[in-house]
Amino acid sequence: IQSFAKSGNKYYIAQRRGDDVFVSTCSIDSKNDKILNFDQNSTMRLKGFAHGQTFEFVECDGKNVYVIRDKCPKGFFAVVSIG
């Protein structure tokens, strides 16, 4: 796991594979709060994204959005996705 963020009872994890970052959703198990259940249908691929240095949630216009920041050769940039 490169980085992660928590919103409500869900965890969002970013994992690097090659030149891409994959963002997936996990939820806390209802019977054991030490177990995270991975949702295989929730994975989003950020192609050519490199590392995904930070992962955080912010509120924008009443919606929860997540921001992943990354350092690229020309400086910093962010990808924002409606969560």
Side-chain angles (χ1 to χ4, degrees):
I1 295 175
Q2 187 72 30
S3 55
F4 72 94
K6 183 178 186 296
S7 178
N9 67 344
K10 299 233 183 224
Y11 284 86
Y12 297 82
I13 58 171
Q15 297 175 293
R16 184 170 184 222
R17 205 173 314 154
D19 291 334
D20 302 335
V21 170
F22 292 82
V23 178
S24 303
T25 305
C26 297
S27 57
I28 299 170
D29 190 87
S30 61
K31 295 178 184 172
N32 184 343
D33 65 359
K34 297 187 185 325
I35 295 175
L36 289 176
N37 296 314
F38 175 73
D39 180 2
Q40 292 185 0
N41 296 322
S42 71
T43 301
M44 176 176 58
R45 178 182 181 190
L46 304 175
K47 192 172 180 179
F49 198 74
H51 289 286
Q53 298 294 338
T54 65
F55 199 160
E56 59 193 300
F57 276 91
V58 296
E59 190 173 313
C60 181
D61 295 329
K63 294 180 182 179
N64 213 15
V65 298
Y66 56 83
V67 178
I68 300 176
R69 296 173 199 251
D70 183 34
K71 186 168 186 194
C72 65
K74 295 181 181 179
F76 283 92
F77 67 95
V79 169
V80 179
S81 178
I82 302 299

